[in-house]
Amino acid sequence: MRGLKVLPSGRPGRGRLYVNLPDGQAVAWYDRQANRISVLADDHREAILAVLRPYLSGTVSIGPPPVPTAADLRRLALSPDADLAPNRPGETLLGELEHGSAGTRARHRLRQDLTAQQRMGDAFDALECDGWRVLHCVPLPGPGQIDHLLIGPAGIFCVRTVPSRRQRAVVGDLMLTVGRAEPRPDPRWIRRAAAFATTALTAKATPALAVVDAVRVETTPTVRDIRILQPPTALPTLATSPTTLKPPEIEALFTEARNTHTWLTPHPGTPTP
């Protein structure tokens, strides 16, 4: 059958591959870890095998899917345009650089921000091997976005990336200063973003700042609610944190978080960042 599309779920090379009809309805998925094709529409079996063949390796099993969980049903009903899982780190900045009209200095800052987001995004994606699920460029009502959303055994983390350009970074209660530049309200902003995420997901989200390429990071002693992450120690810090979420809870939260409508639907009484 013509018109079948293969769409990734999660990070390239790790997540499932979904086979969809032209109208977006899923007819099968290929689980790379289990090396198994689950077919939802048996009359399309041959076409499904043909379109997935370039992605297959080794001995692949094929058959009907296991009994779907509630999270599976919500994921299958999600249209590709509303799915945040395929977003790459810095996806929004890539679009601004390719299609925007920013001047030379602004484009230079965008490239610095993009490099920092890509570096941290690649590091966070590696956590998927330890049971974490990761989203990038999560939209919020109004301007702004959550650079990285981590959902894993240690909980939910809303991460804002700060490029430090080999300078000292000072994190205060409300402002963050890099070198001699003007202070920026990153601590205040990420607190509000985490509060919004807590309401949207009905689960506690921890604010976090990923400070990239700083020669030194100084944090005011009163900053106790924001997690400060620095490569390369960010991964071990998260991977060894106490467990608060079980795998089924992680999957259910990820299914909710990957839906654009979760974030763009107003939540009365909750301030947006």
Side-chain angles (χ1 to χ4, degrees), residues 96 99-103 107:
E96 291 183 28
H99 307 294
S101 56
R107 291 180 67 84

Side-chain angles (χ1 to χ4, degrees), residues 11-160:
R11 304 284 74 73
R14 298 191 187 101
R16 290 177 175 178
L17 292 176
Y18 281 87
V19 181
N20 292 357
L21 295 173
D23 63 2
Q25 179 185 352
V27 293
W29 71 77
Y30 170 47
D31 188 324
R32 294 173 182 169
Q33 293 184 336
N35 214 17
R36 186 180 193 280
I37 301 173
S38 294
V39 179
L40 298 170
D42 201 58
D43 52 330
H44 296 316
R45 178 184 288 248
E46 294 303 319
I48 290 167
L49 286 173
V51 75
L52 281 176
R53 190 163 287 119
Y55 306 95
L56 305 179
S57 61
T59 303
V60 180
S61 60
I62 182 170
V67 177
T69 64
D72 290 329
L73 292 174
R74 290 195 298 271
R75 181 174 61 246
L76 291 171
L78 187 62
S79 69
D81 289 340
D83 192 358
L84 299 173
N87 281 4
R88 298 166 294 175
E91 186 90 31
T92 306
L93 296 178
L94 283 168
E96 291 183 28
L97 284 169
E98 291 176 5
H99 307 294
S101 56
T104 302
R105 293 184 64 181
R107 291 180 67 84
H108 179 67
R109 288 195 299 270
L110 286 174
R111 290 192 185 95
Q112 289 180 327
D113 290 342
L114 175 61
T115 299
Q117 287 192 29
Q118 288 176 330
R119 181 176 175 186
M120 289 309 306
D122 291 342
F124 292 143
D125 286 344
L127 287 170
E128 290 192 349
C129 298
D130 296 319
W132 289 75
R133 305 305 299 268
V134 183
L135 292 171
H136 305 290
C137 299
V138 176
L140 295 171
Q145 64 177 18
I146 298 171
D147 294 339
H148 315 282
L149 184 75
L150 316 180
I151 305 174
I156 305 171
F157 294 86
C158 291
V159 184
R160 186 170 179 85

Side-chain angles (χ1 to χ4, degrees), residues 152-169:
I156 305 171
F157 294 86
C158 291
V159 184
R160 186 170 179 85
T161 305
V162 180
S164 296
R165 305 179 294 277
R166 296 191 173 278
Q167 300 181 76
R168 184 185 67 158

